[in-house]
Protein backbone atom coordinates (compact mmCIF):
# COMPACT_ATOMS: atom_id res chain seq x y z
CA UNK A 1 0.00 0.00 0.00
CA UNK A 2 2.75 2.46 0.90
CA UNK A 3 4.45 1.78 -2.44
CA UNK A 4 1.24 2.63 -4.33
CA UNK A 5 0.79 5.75 -2.25
CA UNK A 6 4.11 7.18 -3.43
CA UNK A 7 2.37 8.20 -6.67
CA UNK A 8 0.09 11.17 -6.01
CA UNK A 9 -2.48 10.25 -8.64
CA UNK A 10 -2.57 6.55 -7.81
CA UNK A 11 -4.45 6.51 -4.51
CA UNK A 12 -7.32 7.99 -2.55
CA UNK A 13 -7.68 8.13 1.24
CA UNK A 14 -11.10 8.02 2.89
CA UNK A 15 -12.05 8.00 6.57
CA UNK A 16 -15.25 6.45 7.91
CA UNK A 17 -16.45 7.61 11.31
CA UNK A 18 -19.66 6.84 13.17
CA UNK A 19 -22.41 9.39 12.76
CA UNK A 20 -25.85 9.98 14.22
CA UNK A 21 -28.42 12.73 14.41
CA UNK A 22 -28.79 12.31 18.19
CA UNK A 23 -26.31 11.43 20.93
CA UNK A 24 -28.00 8.03 21.31
CA UNK A 25 -27.73 7.28 17.59
CA UNK A 26 -24.07 8.31 17.63
CA UNK A 27 -23.38 6.06 20.62
CA UNK A 28 -25.06 3.11 18.87
CA UNK A 29 -23.02 3.70 15.71
CA UNK A 30 -19.81 4.01 17.73
CA UNK A 31 -20.54 0.73 19.52
CA UNK A 32 -21.43 -1.06 16.28
CA UNK A 33 -18.24 0.06 14.54
CA UNK A 34 -16.01 -0.54 17.56
CA UNK A 35 -17.48 -3.86 18.72
CA UNK A 36 -18.16 -5.22 15.26
CA UNK A 37 -15.83 -4.23 12.46
CA UNK A 38 -12.85 -2.85 14.40
CA UNK A 39 -12.84 -5.70 16.90
CA UNK A 40 -13.00 -8.22 14.04
CA UNK A 41 -9.94 -6.70 12.35
CA UNK A 42 -8.08 -6.48 15.67
CA UNK A 43 -8.81 -10.11 16.56
CA UNK A 44 -7.70 -11.30 13.12
CA UNK A 45 -4.72 -8.91 13.13
CA UNK A 46 -5.73 -8.09 9.59
CA UNK A 47 -7.02 -5.45 7.24
CA UNK A 48 -9.73 -5.75 4.64
CA UNK A 49 -9.06 -5.94 0.93
CA UNK A 50 -11.62 -5.64 -1.85
CA UNK A 51 -10.67 -6.02 -5.51
CA UNK A 52 -12.78 -3.81 -7.79
CA UNK A 53 -13.38 -4.85 -11.38
CA UNK A 54 -14.69 -2.32 -13.86
CA UNK A 55 -17.56 -3.52 -16.07
CA UNK A 56 -16.22 -5.88 -18.71
CA UNK A 57 -12.79 -6.17 -17.11
CA UNK A 58 -11.24 -9.51 -16.24
CA UNK A 59 -8.63 -8.10 -13.82
CA UNK A 60 -9.18 -5.70 -10.92
CA UNK A 61 -8.62 -2.05 -11.73
CA UNK A 62 -8.63 -0.90 -8.11
CA UNK A 63 -8.02 -2.33 -4.68
CA UNK A 64 -9.81 -1.00 -1.60
CA UNK A 65 -7.73 -1.50 1.56
CA UNK A 66 -9.61 -1.15 4.88
CA UNK A 67 -7.65 -0.51 8.08
CA UNK A 68 -8.85 -0.20 11.68
CA UNK A 69 -7.25 2.33 14.02
CA UNK A 70 -3.58 1.36 14.37
CA UNK A 71 -0.07 2.73 14.27
CA UNK A 72 -0.10 2.24 10.48
CA UNK A 73 -3.39 4.15 10.06
CA UNK A 74 -2.16 6.97 12.27
CA UNK A 75 1.10 7.28 10.32
CA UNK A 76 -0.71 7.33 6.98
CA UNK A 77 -3.10 10.05 8.15
CA UNK A 78 -0.37 12.08 9.80
CA UNK A 79 1.74 12.03 6.65
CA UNK A 80 -0.92 12.35 3.92
CA UNK A 81 -3.76 14.14 5.71
CA UNK A 82 -2.45 16.04 8.75
CA UNK A 83 -5.70 17.98 9.31
CA UNK A 84 -7.72 14.76 9.31
CA UNK A 85 -5.15 13.20 11.64
CA UNK A 86 -5.63 16.00 14.17
CA UNK A 87 -9.44 15.68 14.01
CA UNK A 88 -9.76 11.89 13.91
CA UNK A 89 -6.76 10.59 15.84
CA UNK A 90 -4.79 13.11 17.86
CA UNK A 91 -7.62 15.03 19.51
CA UNK A 92 -9.81 12.02 20.33
CA UNK A 93 -9.76 10.04 23.55
CA UNK A 94 -11.08 6.95 21.81
CA UNK A 95 -10.34 6.34 18.15
CA UNK A 96 -13.30 4.80 16.35
CA UNK A 97 -12.81 5.00 12.60
CA UNK A 98 -11.87 3.00 9.55
CA UNK A 99 -9.25 4.13 7.07
CA UNK A 100 -9.93 3.28 3.43
CA UNK A 101 -7.14 3.54 0.88
CA UNK A 102 -8.09 2.99 -2.75
CA UNK A 103 -5.20 2.20 -5.05
CA UNK A 104 -5.02 1.58 -8.77
CA UNK A 105 -3.69 -1.72 -10.06
CA UNK A 106 -2.66 -0.13 -13.35
CA UNK A 107 1.13 0.02 -13.61
Amino acid sequence: VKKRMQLDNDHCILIAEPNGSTPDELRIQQNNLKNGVIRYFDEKKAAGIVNVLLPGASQPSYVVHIFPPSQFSSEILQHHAPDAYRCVVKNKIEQIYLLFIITSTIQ
Side-chain angles (χ1 to χ4, degrees):
V1 174
K2 284 186 176 181
K3 182 180 174 185
R4 282 282 178 204
M5 294 180 73
Q6 291 175 353
L7 303 171
D8 287 339
N9 295 326
D10 203 37
H11 70 279
C12 174
I13 298 173
L14 305 163
I15 302 166
E17 287 191 288
N19 193 4
S21 56
T22 67
D24 287 337
E25 284 181 13
L26 178 59
R27 199 170 11 265
I28 289 168
Q29 293 302 318
Q30 287 172 327
N31 287 334
N32 289 342
L33 186 58
K34 178 181 169 187
N35 297 322
V37 180
I38 293 172
R39 178 178 285 163
Y40 174 81
F41 284 132
D42 286 345
E43 288 174 357
K44 299 290 182 183
K45 303 223 182 296
I49 295 177
V50 178
N51 291 308
V52 180
L53 275 71
L54 295 178
S58 60
Q59 296 292 318
S61 297
Y62 300 95
V63 179
V64 179
H65 309 268
I66 307 164
F67 299 96
S70 64
Q71 182 68 30
F72 176 79
S73 298
S74 293
E75 289 172 4
I76 293 294
L77 285 174
Q78 192 170 16
H79 182 263
H80 293 278
D83 290 338
Y85 170 79
R86 282 189 291 281
C87 293
V88 174
V89 178
K90 187 176 179 183
N91 296 329
K92 299 265 178 118
I93 294 170
E94 188 171 26
Q95 298 168 12
I96 303 173
Y97 69 91
L98 292 174
L99 179 70
F100 290 77
I101 300 174
I102 303 170
T103 59
S104 169
T105 60
I106 300 167
Q107 300 281 336

